[in-house]
C-alpha cells in the first residue's frame, strides 16, 4: 500500500500472526485457539487491504527507497528529495532478498534434524542404560541380606538423581531443538505461501515482517552439539561384602562431551617407527569446564596407509585426563581417530600433517570407514623395533597354506579388524570381528556357519570384541574391550551372563584352563584375571612395567598341559609363562627380527607336545618354540605373506588358524606336530 493508507481502517490485530502466537504449541486447546486467531487475523488483513485499495486508487510506478513504500501521485511532492526507483524493480529486489533469506534459513533444517536425531539417540541410550543398571541393582540386592536394603535405596536414589540431572539437560536440549525446528518450519511455510502469491504492493508489509523474522531465525543460536552423554554405569564390588556394605555400589558417569574436550601432544603430529608416541586427552563438560574424574568411554584407532589398525592403549589418569600411547610399525602417513562416547574429539578430525619420512616415501594415507583422523609422520630408524617385516627362510617347517577366508567388509565371511581366534573340539573356528561388533563361526574346512553380535553397551551387546574362547561346556566366551567386561554366550549365540564388570579396564584376550576357569588378559590394566564361570574372581596377577612379573600391553593367553598360563607381552616383546598363582615360570624373547626375537607378539597357542606357537605381529610371521622357550622354526607363510597377524589357535584336526588382520582374512596352515 502507499504512504496514504487510511489509518482509521487499520486492524487492531497483527496483519499476520507472528511465531510467538500459540499456533506453534502442540496441545489441542492451544492449537484450536491458534487457528481461530490465525483466520481472524487473516480476515482482518484482507479487509484492511480492501479498504486501503479503495483509499488509494491512483498509484504511481515509483518506490521510495528511504521510506520503503510505494508512491501515489499525491505522495510524490512529499518525497521529492528521496531516492526513488521503479516499483517493479523494488518488488523484484525485495523478492530476491526474501528468497535468499528463505534459502539460508532452510539450509539450517538438516543440521538441526541431525542434531535432534543424535541427541534423541543419546537420550534413548541413557534410558536403556538406566533400565539395565536398575535391573543389575535389583538382581544384585535380591541375593543379599536384609541389611543391604538401606544401601539399595541409597543407590537407587543416586541413580535417579544422576539420571535426572543428565535427562534434564538432554530433554531441555531436545525441547530447544524442537522449538527451533518448529519456528523455522512454520516461518518457511508462511514465506513460501507468500512467495507463491502474485507480487504486489499489497504484500510488502507482510513480506517485511517475514523478512525480519527470517533474519532473526538465521542468527538464532541452537544447541546442535550434545550437551550430555548417555553414560550410566554401575560399579559393584561383592568381595568382603560384610565389611564394606556401607559403601557398596557406585553410579559411575561423567559430564564429558566430545565437542569441548581436547587432544594434544607430539603424537598428533609426528611419531618415530618402533618408539611409543603419546597423545593427551583432556575431557571437558558442555560449558568447557575441566572434568575432574575418570571412567569416560574413549576409543582410539591409528590406521596405516593400507587400512590396517595399529595397536595402542588408553591410560585413564582418573582426573579427567587420558593418555593414548601407540607405536607405528613402519614409516608412512598414519591416520588417528579419537572418540569420546562415539563422537570425534575436537581437533582430531579433518586436520592433517604431511608425512616426510627421513628415508623413502609413502603413497599417502588410506582412511577407513568414518575415521578421517589426523595423519601422522612416521620416520624410519636403523634400530627400529617395528620395522619392515622380513621373511625367514632358515629352518622352516614345510607346511603350506590350506585356505584363506575373508575380504574387507561387513557381510558374512567379511571382516573389519579381526582379532581373536578360537577353535572348538567340535570342528568349529570362531573369529572375533572387532570393528563389525560380532563373532563369525566357520567349519574347519572354512564353510560359513553363523554369526552373532549386536553393537551396543548393554549386557548381551558387543562393543569391540577382541578375544574369543570356547569353554568345555560349549559356551562361547568373548572379551568385550570397550564394554570392559567378558560376555558368555551359548554355542547358538544366545547371551547368558557377563563377568568382570567393574574390575576390567580393557580385556583383550581370553582362554580357559583345565579347571574350566576363565583366563582374561586385561590389556589396559596390564593384569591377568582368573574367574570362575559364575563370575567369582579366583586370582589376579601382574602390573604395568618392564619387570619379569609385569606387562606392557599384554594381548592373548594360552594354557599348557601343566595348567600354566602363557601370555604375550606386546610392548615388552616377550612371552611369559606363569602358574595360576602368578609365579613366573619362564620368560623368553627379546626385541628384534632374528630367530626367537619378537616385534610385538600377539596370538599364542600350545600344541599337544607342549610346543608354543606365537604370532609375531611386527615381523608378520609365526614362530614355534619348545616348552622351554627355545626357538624351533617358522610356519611357512611365504606363499601368501601375513600382515599384522593377531589371534592364533590350533584346530581340532591339527592345523594352525591365524587372524591375518592387515589382509582382512583368516588363514589355515598345515602344521606338523
Amino acid at each position: 500500500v502507499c504512504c496514504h493508507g487510511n489509518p482509521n481502517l487499520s486492524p487492531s490485530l497483527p496483519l499476520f500472526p507472528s511465531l510467538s502466537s500459540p499456533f506453534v504449541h502442540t496441545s489441542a486447546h492451544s492449537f484450536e485457539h491458534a487457528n481461530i486467531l490465525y483466520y481472524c487475523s487473516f480476515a482482518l488483513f484482507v479487509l484492511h487491504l480492501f479498504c486501503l485499495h479503495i483509499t488509494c486508487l491512483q498509484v504511481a510506478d515509483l518506490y521510495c527507497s528511504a521510506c520503503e513504500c510505494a508512491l501515489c501521485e499525491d505522495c510524490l511532492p512529499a518525497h521529492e528529495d528521496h531516492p526513488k526507483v521503479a516499483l517493479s524493480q523494488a518488488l523484484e529486489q525485495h523478492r530476491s532478498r526474501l528468497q535468499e533469506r528463505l534459502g539460508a534459513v532452510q539450509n539450517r533444517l538438516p543440521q538441526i534434524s541431525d542434531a535432534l536425531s543424535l541427541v534423541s539417540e543419546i537420550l534413548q541410550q541413557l534410558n536403556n542404560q538406566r533400565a539395565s543398571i536398575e535391573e543389575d541393582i535389583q538382581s544384585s540386592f535380591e541375593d543379599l541380606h536384609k541389611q543391604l536394603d538401606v544401601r539399595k535405596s541409597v543407590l537407587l536414589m543416586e541413580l535417579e538423581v544422576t539420571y535426572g540431572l543428565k535427562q534434564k539437560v538432554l530433554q531441555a536440549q531436545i525441547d530447544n531443538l524442537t522449538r527451533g525446528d518448529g519456528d523455522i518450519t512454520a516461518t518457511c511455510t508462511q514465506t513460501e505461501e507468500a512467495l507463491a502469491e502474485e507480487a504486489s504492493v499489497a504484500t510488502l508489509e507482510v513480506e517485511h515482517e517475514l523478512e525480519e523474522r527470517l533474519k532473526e531465525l538465521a542468527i538464532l543460536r541452537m544447541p546442535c552439539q550434545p550437551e550430555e552423554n548417555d553414560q550410566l554405569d554401575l560399579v559393584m564390588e561383592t568381595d568382603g561384602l560384610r565389611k564394606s556394605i556401607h559403601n557398596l555400589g557406585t553410579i559411575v558417569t561423567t559430564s564429558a562431551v566430545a565437542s569441548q574436550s581436547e587432544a594434544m601432544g607430539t603424537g598428533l603430529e609426528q611419531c618415530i617407527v618402533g618408539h611409543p608416541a603419546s597423545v593427551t586427552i583432556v575431557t571437558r563438560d558442555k560449558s568447557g569446564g575441566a572434568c575432574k574424574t575418570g571412567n569416560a568411554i574413549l576409543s582410539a584407532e591409528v590406521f596405516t596407509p593400507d587400512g590396517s589398525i595399529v595397536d595402542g592403549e588408553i591410560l585413564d589418569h582418573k582426573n579427567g585426563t587420558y593418555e593414548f600411547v601407540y607405536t607405528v610399525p613402519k614409516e608412512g602417513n598414519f591416520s588417528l581417530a579419537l572418540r569420546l562416547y562415539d563422537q570425534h574429539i575436537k581437533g582430531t578430525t579433518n586436520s592433517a600433517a604431511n608425512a616426510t619420512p627421513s628415508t623413502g616415501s609413502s603413497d599417502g594415507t588410506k582412511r577407513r570407514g568414518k575415521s578421517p583422523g589426523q595423519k601422522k609422520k612416521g620416520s624410519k630408524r636403523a634400530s627400529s623395533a617395528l620395522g619392515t617385516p622380513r621373511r625367514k627362510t632358515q629352518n622352516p617347517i614345510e607346511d603350506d597354506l590350506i585356505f584363506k577366508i575373508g575380504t574387507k567388509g561387513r557381510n558374512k565371511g567379511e571382516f573389519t579388524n579381526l582379532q581373536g581366534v578360537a577353535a572348538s573340539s567340535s570342528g568349529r573356528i570362531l573369529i572375533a570381528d572387532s570393528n563389525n561388533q560380532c563373532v563369525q563361526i566357520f567349519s574347519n574346512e572354512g564353510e560359513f556357519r553363523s554369526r552373532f553380535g549386536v553393537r551396543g553397551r548393554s549386557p548381551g551387546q558387543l562393543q569391540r570384541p577382541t578375544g574369543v574362547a570356547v569353554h568345555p561346556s560349549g559356551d562361547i566366551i568373548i572379551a568385550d574391550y570397550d564394554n570392559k567386561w567378558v560376555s558368555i554366550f551359548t554355542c547358538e549365540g544366545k547371551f547368558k551372563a557377563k563377568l568382570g564388570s567393574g574390575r576390567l579396564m580393557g580385556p583383550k584376550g581370553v582362554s580357559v584352563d583345565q579347571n574350566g576357569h576363565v583366563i582374561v588378559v586385561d590389556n589396559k590394566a596390564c593384569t591377568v584375571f582368573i574367574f570362575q564361570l559364575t563370575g567369582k574372581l579366583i586370582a589376579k596377577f601382574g602390573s604395568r612395567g618392564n619387570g619379569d612379573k609385569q606387562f606392557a600391553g599384554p594381548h592373548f593367553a594360552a594354557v599348557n598341559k601343566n595348567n600354566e598360563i602363557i601370555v604375550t607381552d606386546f610392548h615388552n616383546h616377550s612371552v611369559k609363562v606363569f602358574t595360576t598363582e602368578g609365579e613366573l615360570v619362564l620368560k623368553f624373547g627379546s626385541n628384534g627380527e632374528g630367530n626367537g626375537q619378537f616385534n610385538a607378539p600377539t596370538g599364542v597357542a600350545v600344541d599337544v607336545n607342549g610346543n608354543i606357537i606365537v604370532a609375531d605381529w611386527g615381523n608378520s610371521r609365526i614362530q614355534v618354540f619348545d616348552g622351554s622357550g627355545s626357538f624351533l622354526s617358522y610356519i611357512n607363510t611365504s606363499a601368501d605373506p601375513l600382515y599384522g597377524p593377531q589371534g592364533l589357535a590350533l584346530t581340532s584336526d591339527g592345523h594352525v588358524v591365524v587372524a591375518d588382520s592387515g589382509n582382512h582374512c583368516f588363514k589355515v596352515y598345515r602344521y606338523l606336530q
Side-chain angles (χ1 to χ4, degrees):
V1 295
C2 78
C3 58
H4 282 163
N6 189 341
N8 295 325
L9 295 176
S10 299
S12 59
L13 292 176
L15 293 182
F16 208 91
S18 68
L19 289 175
S20 60
S21 64
F23 86 98
V24 299
H25 297 172
T26 57
S27 68
H29 177 75
S30 297
F31 187 79
E32 181 181 1
H33 175 72
N35 281 334
I36 294 172
L37 177 61
Y38 177 88
Y39 288 115
C40 288
S41 299
F42 186 77
L44 289 172
F45 169 67
V46 173
L47 178 61
H48 180 65
L49 291 180
F50 178 77
C51 293
L52 290 179
H53 181 66
I54 295 174
T55 304
C56 293
L57 297 176
Q58 301 297 325
V59 177
D61 292 333
L62 294 177
Y63 179 83
C64 179
S65 300
C67 301
E68 296 186 341
C69 65
L71 301 178
C72 67
E73 293 180 355
D74 295 336
C75 300
L76 289 176
H79 297 265
E80 181 178 0
D81 297 331
H82 294 181
K84 294 177 282 293
V85 297
L87 180 59
S88 59
Q89 180 183 349
L91 290 173
E92 182 178 353
Q93 291 176 348
H94 188 272
R95 278 296 177 96
S96 178
R97 289 198 306 271
L98 192 61
Q99 185 67 50
E100 183 179 349
R101 295 287 186 187
L102 175 63
V105 174
Q106 285 178 326
N107 287 338
R108 298 200 66 190
L109 288 175
Q111 178 189 11
I112 295 175
S113 177
D114 291 344
L116 184 61
S117 176
L118 175 60
V119 177
S120 298
E121 181 181 352
I122 293 175
L123 179 57
Q124 182 60 48
Q125 289 289 344
L126 180 67
N127 290 333
N128 293 342
Q129 289 294 93
R130 176 208 175 191
S132 175
I133 291 175
E134 189 169 9
E135 290 178 5
D136 285 350
I137 293 173
Q138 295 288 359
S139 62
S140 296
F141 276 93
E142 285 174 359
D143 298 332
L144 298 177
H145 194 269
K146 63 181 181 180
Q147 296 178 6
L148 296 177
D149 288 343
V150 173
R151 184 58 184 170
K152 171 184 174 182
S153 300
V154 171
L155 273 179
L156 288 172
M157 183 181 298
E158 183 181 351
L159 172 63
E160 288 301 319
V161 170
T162 305
Y163 165 79
L165 293 173
K166 297 170 81 70
Q167 186 268 349
K168 183 178 180 181
V169 172
L170 291 171
Q171 189 60 57
Q173 185 177 6
I174 286 178
D175 292 341
N176 287 336
L177 289 169
T178 302
R179 283 194 296 270
D181 182 83
D183 287 352
I184 290 176
T185 301
T187 303
C188 290
T189 299
Q190 294 173 11
T191 305
E192 289 170 344
E193 291 174 354
L195 290 172
E197 297 177 4
E198 182 178 354
S200 66
V201 176
T203 62
L204 280 176
E205 187 170 349
V206 175
E207 292 179 356
H208 276 310
E209 182 180 351
L210 287 173
E211 182 179 11
E212 291 300 316
R213 185 56 180 159
L214 289 171
K215 287 180 182 178
E216 294 174 3
L217 292 174
I219 61 173
L220 180 66
R221 296 185 62 183
M222 300 294 292
C224 293
Q225 292 296 324
E227 296 180 347
E228 250 297 3
N229 58 63
D230 60 355
Q231 184 184 9
L232 278 178
D233 290 330
L234 173 69
V235 176
M236 181 77 71
E237 296 283 351
T238 56
D239 291 348
L241 182 59
R242 294 185 180 277
K243 296 181 180 180
S244 59
I245 191 171
H246 178 70
N247 297 315
L248 178 64
T250 303
I251 301 296
V252 175
T253 189
T254 76
S255 296
V257 293
S259 60
Q260 295 295 330
S261 299
E262 297 180 90
M264 60 193 72
T266 57
L268 285 173
E269 302 294 337
Q270 186 175 9
C271 55
I272 299 175
V273 173
H275 290 253
S278 175
V279 177
T280 299
I281 299 102
V282 179
T283 57
R284 301 183 186 278
D285 61 22
K286 66 174 183 176
S287 302
C291 297
K292 303 297 185 182
T293 59
N295 298 307
I297 299 176
L298 284 154
S299 64
E301 293 171 321
V302 178
F303 301 95
T304 66
D306 67 353
S308 61
I309 297 179
V310 173
D311 215 352
E313 57 181 327
I314 297 176
L315 309 177
D316 186 350
H317 297 309
K318 301 299 182 182
N319 61 359
T321 66
Y322 305 79
E323 185 177 7
F324 174 55
V325 181
Y326 66 94
T327 306
V328 298
K330 61 181 180 179
E331 64 187 45
N333 293 332
F334 293 78
S335 298
L336 170 63
L338 291 172
R339 293 187 182 89
L340 174 66
Y341 299 105
D342 285 334
Q343 301 294 314
H344 278 293
I345 293 175
K346 182 171 63 176
T348 63
T349 57
N350 299 324
S351 58
N354 292 327
T356 311
S358 59
T359 61
S361 63
S362 171
D363 293 329
T365 183
K366 179 179 181 181
R367 292 179 170 85
R368 295 163 60 98
K370 57 176 182 178
S371 304
Q374 286 184 296
K375 296 179 181 177
K376 301 287 158 284
K377 179 180 179 182
S379 56
K380 181 75 172 179
R381 296 183 60 166
S383 59
S384 167
L386 297 176
T388 303
R390 296 181 181 178
R391 303 302 172 190
K392 305 300 178 179
T393 57
Q394 62 268 40
N395 192 27
I397 295 179
E398 293 299 331
D399 297 336
D400 297 318
L401 174 68
I402 301 174
F403 63 83
K404 66 176 181 179
I405 300 293
T407 57
K408 183 180 178 182
R410 300 193 178 277
N411 299 317
K412 64 181 183 180
E414 298 177 342
F415 306 98
T416 308
N417 191 26
L418 66 170
Q419 294 200 31
V421 175
S424 71
S425 58
S426 59
R428 299 196 302 171
I429 296 172
L430 294 85
I431 307 292
D433 193 358
S434 179
N435 284 18
N436 285 335
Q437 320 296 346
C438 70
V439 169
Q440 300 200 47
I441 302 175
F442 300 81
S443 70
N444 280 354
E445 293 74 33
E447 296 176 354
F448 177 82
R449 296 301 191 198
S450 63
R451 64 181 282 177
F452 65 90
V454 177
R455 178 177 182 174
R457 298 191 180 276
S458 299
Q461 297 177 323
L462 300 176
Q463 194 76 14
R464 197 179 173 193
T466 52
V468 61
V470 180
H471 195 271
S473 65
D475 288 339
I476 299 172
I477 303 166
I478 301 173
D480 196 332
Y481 193 88
D482 284 348
N483 278 332
K484 303 179 184 180
W485 63 56
V486 171
S487 295
I488 312 296
F489 291 83
T490 67
C491 58
E492 291 84 18
K494 295 181 179 180
F495 177 70
K496 292 181 66 176
K498 65 177 182 178
L499 58 86
S501 180
R503 297 182 183 274
L504 301 175
M505 295 176 60
K508 180 80 173 183
V510 287
S511 186
V512 180
D513 69 10
Q514 296 181 4
N515 298 319
H517 296 155
V518 179
I519 312 298
V520 183
V521 180
D522 194 323
N523 176 266
K524 285 188 177 180
C526 292
T527 302
V528 175
F529 292 84
I530 305 176
F531 294 94
Q532 289 181 350
L533 202 59
T534 59
K536 180 180 179 181
L537 180 65
I538 301 298
K540 66 177 182 178
F541 59 86
S543 60
R544 185 180 305 278
N546 301 320
D548 289 346
K549 295 184 179 181
Q550 294 180 310
F551 302 104
H555 268 51
F556 295 97
V559 179
N560 64 19
K561 59 185 178 182
N562 298 324
N563 210 33
E564 294 167 338
I565 303 170
I566 305 166
V567 182
T568 53
D569 196 352
F570 188 87
H571 291 296
N572 283 332
H573 310 288
S574 60
V575 174
K576 298 176 181 178
V577 184
F578 297 88
T579 65
T580 53
E581 290 77 29
E583 295 299 320
L584 182 69
V585 176
L586 173 67
K587 172 187 174 183
F588 61 91
S590 61
N591 182 214
E593 299 176 345
N595 295 350
Q597 292 184 311
F598 297 112
N599 233 343
T602 48
V604 62
V606 182
D607 68 18
V608 294
N609 297 317
N611 296 322
I612 302 170
I613 309 165
V614 182
D616 191 356
W617 179 82
N619 287 324
S620 289
R621 64 188 181 183
I622 301 173
Q623 300 192 68
V624 183
F625 301 83
D626 65 18
S628 62
S630 297
F631 173 79
L632 293 178
S633 57
Y634 298 96
I635 300 290
N636 188 353
T637 63
S638 58
D640 194 339
L642 299 169
Y643 185 64
Q646 291 260 4
L648 181 149
L650 280 167
T651 64
S652 58
D653 52 1
H655 300 312
V656 170
V657 55
V658 60
D660 192 355
S661 181
N663 289 320
H664 312 291
C665 66
F666 72 89
K667 295 175 179 176
V668 176
Y669 295 93
R670 292 186 180 88
Y671 176 71
L672 303 179
Q673 301 190 37

